Amino acid sequence: MSLLSVENLQIRFRTGDGLVHAVNDVSFDIAEGQKLALVGESGSGKSQIALAIMGLLAKNAEVAGKVRFDGRDLLSLPASQLNALRAAQIALIFQDPMSSLNPYMTIERQLGEVVELHEGASRAEARKRALEVMEAVRIPDARNRLRAYPHEFSGGMRQRIVIAMALICRPRLILADEPTTALDVTVQAQIMALLDEIQRDLGTAVLLITHDLGVVAGFCDDTMVLYGGRVMEAAPTPAIFDAPGHPYTRGLLRAVPRITDGDVTLSAIPGSPPNQTAAPRACPFAPRCVDAIPACHEMLPDFREGRACIRPVEELT
Amino acid sequence: MFNYTLRRLLTVIPTLLVLIVFSFYLMRLAPGGPFTSEKPLPPAVMQNVLERYGMDQPLYVQLWTYIKNIVFHFDFGPSFAQKDRTVNDVIAQGFPVTLTYGFWSAVFVLVLGIPLGIVAALRHNSIWDYTMTGLAIFSQIFPNFVLAPILVLLFTLSWGLLPGGGWNGGQWEYIVMPAIALGTSYMAGVARLTRGSMLEVLNAPFILTARAKGLPERVIIWRHALKPALLPTLTYMGPVFVYMITGSVFIDVFFSTGGIGQDFIDGAYSRDYSMLLGLAILYSLLTFALNLMLDLLYAWIDPKVRSSL
Amino acid sequence: MTDARKRLNSRDFADTVAEEMIVSRSFWADARRRFLGHRLAVFSVFMLLALVLFALFGHAFARWSFEEIDWNVLGRIKTEGAPSLDNGHWFGVDELGRDLYARVVQGTRTSLMVGFVAGPLAVLLGATLGALAGYFGGRLDQIITGFYTIWISIPYIIFFVVWQAFFGRSLTQMIIVIIIVNWTAGLLIVRGQVMMLKHREFVDAARMLGMSDLAIIFKHLAPNILWVIVIYTSIVIPEVIMAESLVSFLGVGIQEPNTSWGALISEGARTMTFGTLWQLAFPAAFFVIAQVSLYYIGDGLRDALDPKDRR
């Protein structure tokens, strides 16, 4: 049985400009210890999926579908039970370590309050656990930095603290929302290596949300590509890279800079992400697709055999 | 922290010097004086009077004597207009009065304003929120000199609940209206500001982090949101204290509390140099002390500021 | 090549760049559209206009002058001095038997005059000093901001009362003292804006053309910070009116028989124990209407001009 199962998830936002269809009909499963990547451009609705799983969507959101965690439907869970799951079983790592830590509380308190809340630990125990987890994410001189405030750490160190905060209760699932986007390239690699190692040690399942296929390549078992709040393609990661089956995935891969014969090739996908204020009636990617045929603009492709495209793989450029 | 406090204490010296020198020359260079009256005094008498108050000396000598007396003897000199009273007497009598209702007014501003703002923010876009915001705008526009007569009209003249003035040793009935009249518009300002900053903080990413930890709403607000939401309010209190000191002059006059405001205005009418200058110094010192207190409080709350001191 | 340089060196070019920076032509047009969309603000403009017309032409409808004593009602003010259409005292009479309507017209004139003359002038002074401090920085900046810090920590009432008591209480004096007391208005915000703008390309361009510093400040920077000044002025005007009213209430404001809202409210408050409530109600109502209108106009201007507030 899978640990997390998302079925036909739909997220809409009531805004001043009308109803925004952020996520449409998204389904996926994550097994214990599995690492799944959600890839998409900004605005593809990928972060909203993580928030929906945690029950943290903004007040103007409407959610439909099913999100089952360990057999329980998270969407209909009362707030108190949801609170008991958060951080204890499902933890969230946010994108921006600069702003996702409370600037007015010591690191020790911010880490410790999680164990105090979920495991009824005492202050002293909580401090011990905070120290352990800070050492686990390799914060140098952790013992002396327990009393420090977030602004006293560098960006990379802060992201380690954010990861430590997610790990402290040994959750079964970690949702990592762009965990490295705000960091320097070298630090990015360190953080991903750390995540990988910890994941191996603990056997935690990970849902990695990113716009960067490069980050996915070395880390995730499976990859799901989102566009316009819709799943375009889902496959084991190697297959995505070796034989992408959707024009959008191909475009994304082409947008990753690579050096061939000394020339840097980089091609951006022309056009911009779709306007999602109307319920989609056609393939959302069709307006930007190099392989689009008239039918693409008229019907919504079914998601079949790991891809949502009406054209056979062989015919794609 | 200690160094910072010391540095701040030192800045009060130039501030007071500017104030003293400026006011001193302003008053003395203006035509007329405390002893000019409709019937001029005979020159000999005038000479005597001037000598008695040291006013026959050149201005800078007078200024120097004045400053020396304050620094070495904490003596603000005799009043020129109120016979047999020194400025120190007036301060000793009136300042506790002004300070007492001023303190209760500040308590009223904070103890009512902050919770109102927080409630409005937590019930954002509800009828509570709209009522509070509407009332706040309204009372910010109502200055104390419009509010005070209305309060007296209602509570004294119509309903006979509270005395319309006086002090009577500072019984609570005599404190209520001065404190409310002085504080209401700032209470509204505090409420509005707290509401705004609370709303902003509740949208901050670190609050989402706190939610993702599974903390209950109550803990999120008290432990995570309150401190940062109060920082702008704290900053706002600096100017508010200055305004409240200004307002206290009016309150002292309108409610005849016997506070120093009345003596200040009387001093202006009677050209009581020493009284005006002494009270001006007192008001400035009070402002300074309150601001220093706020800054230290701010540093205590905000670790970033604390480590930069 | 030479053509390009000539173009770059032309004054027109510098002007064009400056205009393109922040204040595009559409900026003020957009702002006007946004302001007109703020219904309360537009309504408030009409209210304020009505007050101005009242101050200018209200005398035409008065049957009494503001200093003339109506001996018919003196001594029986409580019974006969109330607002009445018969004896021509539309707002009743004051404590001394003078026509309150005419006095309110007079008071409105004074208060608005103080607000709309002293307020903008004070902001202009503060903005100029702020611009100089921000543009030149260094020692000048230190001196100006040093004085600023000292000045704002002195409650203004001190200076106000001292000045008014010693230098007489005419309208001109009042305006002067208000400008002096409020010279810090808008100083910091303009200083900040100028510090931000002075590193922009159009300023460099103007400097390369050999424009003098003052010309750069007034010709190129000023249009770009005008919006800050407009917003600030809209905040200062009601504050100034309030300050004037407060000192007039305390009896150190405008000299009798001239009057202002504050002085009228003060008289009304003093006599309300006698039951002559209209003496408080009319001036207070005018004062509050003005303050509410000015508040919403300011609110509308902030919405229309402040980029942070734009939705």
Side-chain angles (χ1 to χ4, degrees):
Chain A
M1 195 189 74
S2 56
L3 180 65
L4 176 80
S5 130
V6 173
E7 273 171 53
N8 306 104
L9 183 67
Q10 190 161 32
I11 304 171
R12 291 182 296 197
F13 291 97
R14 293 180 303 272
T15 71
D17 303 325
L19 211 55
V20 174
H21 299 252
V23 173
N24 302 295
D25 214 14
V26 168
S27 304
F28 60 89
D29 290 272
I30 299 178
E32 296 267 7
Q34 191 192 353
K35 292 173 283 185
L36 172 69
L38 272 183
V39 181
E41 290 168 280
S42 55
S44 62
K46 53 195 196 312
S47 296
Q48 302 306 327
I49 294 176
L51 292 177
I53 295 169
M54 294 291 279
L56 291 173
L57 285 170
K59 282 203 183 80
N60 61 341
E62 290 171 1
V63 203
K66 284 221 157 59
V67 176
R68 291 182 177 283
F69 179 79
D70 212 13
R72 283 195 280 180
D73 186 5
L74 295 185
L75 296 185
S76 58
L77 218 53
S80 60
Q81 291 185 38
L82 203 55
N83 268 340
L85 282 183
R86 287 173 181 161
Q89 307 252 1
I90 312 175
L92 187 52
I93 296 174
F94 286 102
Q95 176 169 359
D96 184 3
M98 302 299 167
S99 56
S100 55
L101 291 170
N102 188 330
Y104 306 100
M105 281 171 74
T106 59
I107 296 304
E108 177 197 329
R109 292 303 305 139
Q110 295 192 54
L111 290 169
E113 69 175 353
V114 186
V115 228
E116 284 174 26
L117 174 76
H118 291 292
E119 298 174 15
S122 68
R123 280 266 166 133
E125 271 172 76
R127 173 173 306 147
K128 210 176 112 244
R129 287 282 292 281
L131 182 60
E132 277 170 22
V133 79
M134 276 171 79
E135 278 165 351
V137 296
R138 300 216 202 85
I139 288 174
D141 198 18
R143 187 174 295 276
N144 292 322
R145 309 205 68 181
L146 278 170
R147 290 292 180 91
Y149 289 90
H151 72 271
E152 298 169 65
F153 291 89
S154 69
M157 284 300 144
R158 270 187 253 187
Q159 192 60 309
R160 282 168 194 265
I161 293 166
V162 171
I163 291 172
M165 202 180 279
L167 293 175
I168 197 162
C169 285
R170 297 175 176 260
R172 294 160 74 190
L173 172 64
I174 290 180
L175 313 174
D177 184 3
E178 304 264 14
T180 60
T181 309
L183 305 173
D184 294 341
V185 183
T186 46
V187 184
Q188 279 187 15
Q190 290 169 17
I191 295 287
M192 285 316 292
L194 176 73
L195 259 182
D196 194 41
E197 187 190 314
I198 284 165
Q199 193 277 332
R200 257 179 245 281
D201 290 351
L202 301 180
T204 316
V206 175
L207 178 68
L208 177 71
I209 294 165
T210 182
H211 66 281
D212 186 352
L213 273 172
V215 171
V216 172
F219 186 72
C220 284
D221 310 318
D222 298 280
T223 299
M224 202 161 83
V225 180
L226 286 181
Y227 185 81
R230 204 164 264 286
V231 182
M232 294 289 108
E233 183 170 10
T237 307
I240 290 273
F241 279 85
D242 296 340
H246 195 283
Y248 177 59
T249 317
R250 294 182 176 212
L252 273 185
L253 283 169
R254 261 179 241 127
V256 176
R258 69 183 83 190
I259 301 168
T260 36
D261 306 329
D263 275 340
V264 179
T265 343
L266 181 106
S267 61
I269 306 173
S272 51
N275 172 4
Q276 287 168 265
T277 46
R281 304 198 183 290
C283 176
F285 187 59
R288 295 168 74 187
C289 184
V290 285
D291 297 313
I293 54 173
C296 291
H297 298 279
E298 278 152 26
M299 57 182 284
L300 204 54
D302 288 333
F303 186 78
R304 228 182 285 144
E305 287 162 22
R307 53 196 287 275
C309 184
I310 55 171
R311 302 201 61 186
V313 183
E314 311 83 66
E315 290 177 17
L316 300 179
T317 51
Chain B
M1 198 74 137
F2 175 76
N3 280 338
Y4 171 77
T5 314
L6 200 71
R7 244 183 4 251
R8 280 291 302 271
L9 284 174
L10 287 178
T11 61
V12 75
I13 296 170
T15 310
L16 283 183
L17 270 181
V18 168
L19 180 85
I20 292 174
V21 173
F22 203 88
S23 314
F24 189 87
Y25 278 97
L26 183 67
M27 288 190 294
R28 290 310 178 80
L29 294 177
F35 310 117
T36 20
S37 53
E38 319 246 309
K39 266 187 287 167
L41 294 169
V45 180
M46 190 67 165
Q47 187 58 35
N48 262 334
V49 172
L50 289 181
E51 260 171 46
R52 198 182 133 213
Y53 289 102
M55 282 169 66
D56 51 341
Q57 314 257 344
L59 272 185
Y60 68 88
V61 178
Q62 292 183 38
L63 179 62
W64 177 236
T65 320
Y66 182 74
I67 295 176
K68 241 178 13 196
N69 280 335
I70 294 177
V71 174
F72 295 113
H73 309 291
F74 205 70
D75 179 7
F76 289 93
S79 162
F80 288 168
Q82 304 186 31
K83 299 274 173 304
D84 308 322
R85 276 183 100 195
T86 63
V87 177
N88 288 37
D89 291 341
V90 167
I91 291 175
Q93 259 178 27
F95 194 46
V97 172
T98 306
L99 217 51
T100 305
Y101 74 78
F103 169 78
W104 287 112
S105 190
V107 168
F108 164 73
V109 166
L110 294 170
V111 168
L112 205 61
I114 290 173
L116 273 180
I118 291 175
V119 168
L122 297 183
R123 306 246 185 291
H124 186 38
N125 284 340
S126 72
I127 188 84
W128 282 91
D129 187 16
Y130 295 137
T131 315
M132 207 287 299
T133 315
L135 278 178
I137 292 176
F138 200 63
S139 29
Q140 264 189 309
I141 292 162
F142 259 77
N144 39 33
F145 59 87
V146 177
L147 185 64
I150 294 176
L151 285 178
V152 170
L153 195 60
L154 294 178
F155 289 93
T156 309
L157 297 180
S158 302
W159 303 328
L161 293 175
L162 291 167
W167 187 244
N168 204 12
Q171 283 174 325
W172 70 267
E173 300 99 306
Y174 293 84
I175 298 179
V176 176
M177 276 204 291
I180 292 178
L182 179 59
T184 297
S185 68
Y186 310 116
M187 190 273 290
V190 164
R192 251 166 52 124
L193 197 76
T194 309
R195 170 185 173 273
S197 65
M198 187 51 128
L199 282 177
E200 209 174 304
V201 169
L202 286 178
N203 278 322
F206 67 82
I207 293 297
L208 196 62
T209 307
R211 294 223 159 91
K213 286 175 173 178
L215 296 169
E217 199 63 20
R218 184 174 35 84
V219 177
I220 290 175
I221 286 157
W222 281 102
R223 197 185 290 167
H224 286 266
L226 194 61
K227 255 191 196 181
L230 287 186
L231 286 177
T233 310
L234 214 55
T235 314
Y236 174 65
M237 285 314 285
V240 163
F241 282 144
V242 178
Y243 284 129
M244 283 175 78
I245 288 172
T246 294
S248 80
V249 175
F250 159 77
I251 297 289
D252 281 333
V253 171
F254 184 79
F255 287 105
S256 318
T257 55
I260 47 176
Q262 183 69 59
D263 297 295
F264 190 53
I265 296 296
D266 289 348
Y269 275 123
S270 54
R271 316 223 154 172
D272 192 341
Y273 297 143
S274 55
M275 181 67 69
L276 277 176
L277 205 48
L279 292 180
I281 292 169
L282 183 69
Y283 280 129
S284 306
L285 277 176
L286 182 62
T287 322
F288 174 79
L290 290 169
N291 273 313
L292 181 62
M293 193 188 75
L294 284 179
D295 285 350
L296 292 177
L297 203 62
Y298 199 103
W300 181 64
I301 292 183
D302 191 337
K304 254 178 275 181
V305 174
R306 197 186 318 153
S307 57
S308 73
L309 292 187
Chain C
M1 182 66 200
T2 43
D3 265 13
R5 187 183 285 162
K6 204 182 270 169
R7 198 177 80 83
L8 205 72
N9 277 336
S10 76
R11 181 147 294 189
D12 280 343
F13 177 70
D15 284 349
T16 318
V17 181
E19 254 168 47
E20 275 166 8
M21 284 309 292
I22 290 177
V23 185
S24 55
R25 284 198 196 290
S26 71
F27 175 83
W28 291 101
D30 287 350
R32 192 173 60 223
R33 186 179 46 73
R34 276 193 296 269
F35 185 83
L36 292 177
H38 195 305
R39 253 181 285 159
L40 263 174
V42 175
F43 179 71
S44 297
V45 170
F46 282 109
M47 288 304 288
L48 194 65
L49 220 59
L51 281 180
V52 171
L53 290 177
F54 177 78
L56 289 178
F57 305 111
H59 278 308
F61 304 99
R63 268 208 235 151
W64 306 79
S65 95
F66 71 96
E67 37 192 350
E68 187 181 348
I69 295 171
D70 183 356
W71 299 99
N72 289 323
V73 295
L74 197 62
R76 290 168 295 167
I77 288 168
K78 186 173 164 136
T79 46
E80 317 226 332
S84 147
L85 292 179
D86 294 336
N87 60 13
H89 296 300
W90 321 126
F91 291 177
V93 297
D94 76 357
E95 202 187 5
L96 296 177
R98 295 174 296 192
D99 183 38
L100 194 61
Y101 173 82
R103 293 190 67 70
V104 170
V105 173
Q106 175 68 26
T108 306
R109 205 174 267 190
T110 311
S111 290
L112 289 183
M113 181 94 108
V114 167
F116 281 88
V117 174
L121 283 177
V123 175
L124 217 58
L125 181 62
T128 309
L129 287 169
L132 292 176
Y135 187 83
F136 291 106
R139 185 44 61 91
L140 182 70
D141 185 33
Q142 277 175 6
I143 292 174
I144 291 179
T145 44
F147 263 99
Y148 173 86
T149 329
I150 290 178
W151 196 260
I152 57 160
S153 63
I154 301 173
Y156 75 82
I157 187 81
I158 296 178
F159 191 69
F160 225 118
V161 166
V162 172
W163 181 284
Q164 287 295 94
F166 287 85
F167 287 97
R169 294 147 52 187
S170 70
L171 185 61
T172 331
Q173 288 289 353
M174 176 62 87
I175 288 172
I176 291 172
V177 68
I178 283 184
I179 295 171
I180 293 176
V181 166
N182 285 296
W183 70 271
T184 51
L187 191 149
L188 269 203
I189 191 158
V190 168
R191 173 176 169 271
Q193 286 286 319
V194 168
M195 281 168 67
M196 191 186 79
L197 287 172
K198 73 173 174 184
H199 298 297
R200 294 284 180 84
E201 296 87 335
F202 69 91
V203 177
D204 291 338
R207 207 173 287 136
M208 278 187 291
L209 296 177
M211 283 184 82
S212 73
D213 290 326
L214 286 184
I216 291 176
I217 292 177
F218 286 107
K219 212 156 173 293
H220 293 301
L221 292 177
N224 282 315
I225 50 174
L226 191 57
W227 64 273
V228 180
I229 296 176
V230 170
I231 292 180
Y232 219 87
T233 310
S234 77
I235 299 172
V236 169
I237 289 174
E239 278 183 5
V240 159
I241 292 180
M242 207 173 279
E244 188 280 325
S245 295
L246 178 66
V247 291
S248 290
F249 192 116
L250 292 173
V252 285
I254 296 294
Q255 183 101 46
E256 282 281 317
N258 279 321
T259 191
S260 77
W261 284 333
L264 288 167
I265 293 172
S266 156
E267 286 164 23
R270 243 198 328 268
T271 59
M272 69 187 173
T273 22
F274 311 138
T276 52
L277 274 186
W278 64 87
Q279 294 175 358
L280 176 62
F282 283 105
F286 272 80
F287 176 84
V288 169
I289 289 171
Q291 289 290 327
V292 174
S293 308
L294 287 166
Y295 173 85
Y296 280 111
I297 292 172
D299 200 44
L301 286 173
R302 271 195 297 281
D303 274 0
L305 295 171
D306 191 342
K308 262 183 287 177
D309 276 9
R310 262 176 239 152
R311 282 160 292 242

